[in-house]
Amino acid sequence: MSTPPLLPPPGCPAHGLGQEGPQPKRLYGPAAEHDPMALYEQLRAEHGAVAPVLVHDDQPAWLVLGHRENLEVARNPGRFARDPREWGAAQDGTVVPEEYALSPMVTWWPVINFNDGPVFERLRGAVLESLQRFDRRGIRRYVTRFANQLIDGFASNGHADLVAEFSSQLPMLVMTQLIGAPEEHGPRLVQAVPDMLEGTETALESDEYVTKTLYQLVESKKASRGYDLTSWLLDHPAELTDVEVLAHVRVILVAAYATTANLIANTLRMVLTDPRFRANLSGGRMTLAEALEQVLWDQTPINTVLGRWATADTKLGGQEIKRGDMLLLSLAAGNVDPAVRPDLTAPVHGNRSHLAFSAGPHECPGQDIGRAIADTGIEALLARLPDIELTVHDFELERRGTLMSQHLVQLPVRFEPRFVASTETRSAPDQLPPLAVPEEAVRPAPVSSRPSRTRRWSWLKRLLGRR
């Protein structure tokens, strides 16, 4: 007796395609993680702007590939909710969110990215107003301080791995300061946060560590306020509960790390390997800040955002979406959608219409702080080590992929060793300007990452071999 054909189960987004049609592909595992962009293009060719896929444990979902369709989902929370309790698999008991491999992304928390409507408005208002209290100069001084500390650690060696020794550490060191956490928490958080995001076997353990650490932070700030995000959320007129404060400090810390670490590494790689990119910098056609926007188009720090859930039967990109279906926003695929970028070689530096930080009401509220950390940190590195160059060919650089992102494993470089003065002369935290502006002052504009062009030329000319 022949074996019956294997068809997608009822309720799966691929049900009805039949054995002859394109079958849903896994967004996890070695094949998907090796070259996610190639997978996205294959899915686009087979299904168009929206494709049926499988996430961990072969749970069905829809991957949104089109730029316009990404915006449609992101800007319509009434049709596509951010609340994971709308997930059909959770409602019918197929999946227990707290025990699922992607638990941190599908378990409801009282936080802005898991809510919509009035609750979301109250929480987002508290987050935005607290983030806007940071002084742009204060943040940049802290970034410079920590960047120099990291550079001091390898400048005399003449070689370094800019992923392990710089890009993966700088954002967390800065963010621990902004949330008011002790500096010694930085190294362990650098390990725990990406592990939690990648859905590894130890993801739940790392998630527990991060939550426990931030719980202790909230308790300490309740006893003694400071000039930091945690304290401002505790004191905000929206009257956030302790759990809401913890949840928002957690999501801001995680989001800032994941995007900024990748942005720094990807930009450094582009500076060191892409002649066109370097020529635009050297010719004054873009500043470093504008170059970051080009990188955000070409190498989005976060490939995929999980998730949205359909609140009713609807249609998107020619696909029939059922109530309770999970949707994933493919920011990386949307950024290279032929409908908006028919020529991927055409420069788009300075253009902020990319999807790197999503869009709509849930667009990342702290994106300009991330830009400032990346811009200032990269400038500090290139100013001190202008002769830096890769020790391997670009094609030898390894990337490690996950459902949500793909990042450089290493970025090995060499340079002329530098004498490092005693780190005791570096500015201590209490010698730096305050992170917050006085409450009676006018609220500052969001952190700007657009520096003057003139202060770039010294390190740019040296980097490019010009005098």
Side-chain angles (χ1 to χ4, degrees), residues 43-82:
L43 289 168
R44 198 196 311 269
E46 293 178 355
H47 302 282
V50 180
V53 294
L54 300 172
V55 295
H56 290 67
D57 296 338
D58 280 356
Q59 286 298 314
W62 296 100
L63 183 65
V64 185
L65 301 160
H67 188 278
R68 182 180 66 83
E69 289 74 16
N70 267 277
L71 291 177
E72 183 176 349
V73 173
R75 291 172 174 172
N76 289 278
R79 288 172 60 201
F80 305 102
R82 211 52 180 93

Side-chain angles (χ1 to χ4, degrees), residues 386 454-463 466:
T454 55
R455 67 189 181 101
R456 302 290 185 192
W457 285 109
S458 60
W459 64 259
L460 270 175
K461 289 182 178 179
R462 287 180 287 169
L463 177 68
R466 301 183 180 183

Side-chain angles (χ1 to χ4, degrees), residues 248-272:
H248 285 92
V249 172
R250 177 180 181 274
V251 75
I252 290 169
L253 183 70
V254 169
Y257 168 78
T259 56
T260 310
N262 270 356
L263 179 57
I264 293 173
N266 290 340
T267 303
L268 287 172
R269 174 193 161 273
M270 292 283 279
V271 169
L272 297 173

